[in-house]
Amino acid sequence: MGAFKKYITTYKRNDPSARSTLEIVLTYPGFWAIIYYRIAHFLHQKNLKLIARMVSTFGRWVTGVEIHPGAVIGRCFFIDHGMGIVIGETAIIGDDVRIFHGVTLGGRGDETGKRHPTIEDGVLLSAHAQVIGNITIGKNAKIGASAVVLKDIPEGVTAVGIPAKVVKSKIENLVKTDACELK
């Protein structure tokens, strides 16, 4: 039950409109997308890949969020709204990452092996951002809405546009970040 409580705490911390645990459980598709992902990922790690894909597909039908069971997602992952999110098989997402609707962590289609992005701790991915290929978004970076990210983004900066370019340096971007409570 500890993990369930941690998911609830993550939602309460990240969404000012979350009024209660019951509201989160009954009405937050991002919350359920994470639950389905955790089950599917467990099955994937046990080499029950077909069943894992079936669980993840069911989760996509219910939530509108598609997370491949092979993706690796850290603690305190927060999905706001969720609809249309796609997270590919070799994506790696760190702790305390926030992601909004319409985001894709996808491959280019011409790569093998590690072909999806690595998102480090504390990153914010705004609505409809497209992060494509085996690239890294550095710790505490912010990616603006509808940005198309095709190259590595350094730690702590803000990047926007098509293709994404850094518009705020790490120093300009210093803000208090609520660290994920990992206890």
Side-chain angles (χ1 to χ4, degrees), residues 64-65 79-86 99-105 125-131 146-147:
V65 176
I79 297 173
D80 199 4
H81 301 292
M83 186 60 72
I85 290 173
V86 177
I99 188 170
F100 289 81
H101 60 282
V103 169
T104 299
L105 303 179
L125 298 169
S126 298
H128 299 285
Q130 308 300 298
V131 185
S146 297

Side-chain angles (χ1 to χ4, degrees), residues 37-179:
Y37 159 75
R38 297 288 184 206
I39 295 166
H41 184 69
F42 173 81
L43 294 168
H44 189 268
Q45 288 181 311
K46 299 295 183 192
N47 208 30
L48 299 169
K49 294 188 171 123
L50 176 59
I51 297 169
R53 289 300 300 262
M54 292 169 64
V55 169
S56 70
T57 297
F58 180 76
R60 181 187 49 149
W61 289 340
V62 172
T63 68
V65 176
E66 183 173 340
I67 306 173
H68 193 285
V72 176
I73 299 176
R75 293 174 275 199
C76 300
F77 181 54
F78 176 73
I79 297 173
D80 199 4
H81 301 292
M83 186 60 72
I85 290 173
V86 177
I87 299 173
E89 178 181 21
T90 62
I92 299 171
I93 300 173
D95 296 333
D96 208 28
V97 170
R98 295 172 292 157
I99 188 170
F100 289 81
H101 60 282
V103 169
T104 299
L105 303 179
R108 296 175 197 247
D110 60 352
E111 298 171 312
T112 58
K114 174 75 166 96
R115 58 194 185 280
H116 298 98
T118 296
I119 310 300
E120 294 184 345
D121 297 348
V123 168
L124 169 67
L125 298 169
S126 298
H128 299 285
Q130 308 300 298
V131 185
I132 309 297
N134 183 12
I135 62 174
T136 298
I137 307 301
K139 185 176 180 179
N140 296 317
K142 297 176 184 174
I143 306 301
S146 297
V148 177
V149 185
L150 302 172
K151 296 180 182 175
D152 291 348
I153 299 296
E155 177 180 325
V157 304
T158 297
V160 300
I162 304 171
K165 292 183 177 32
V166 173
V167 295
K168 274 191 181 179
S169 71
K170 185 176 179 179
I171 292 172
E172 292 173 307
N173 221 13
L174 287 177
V175 293
K176 181 181 175 255
T177 305
D178 284 336

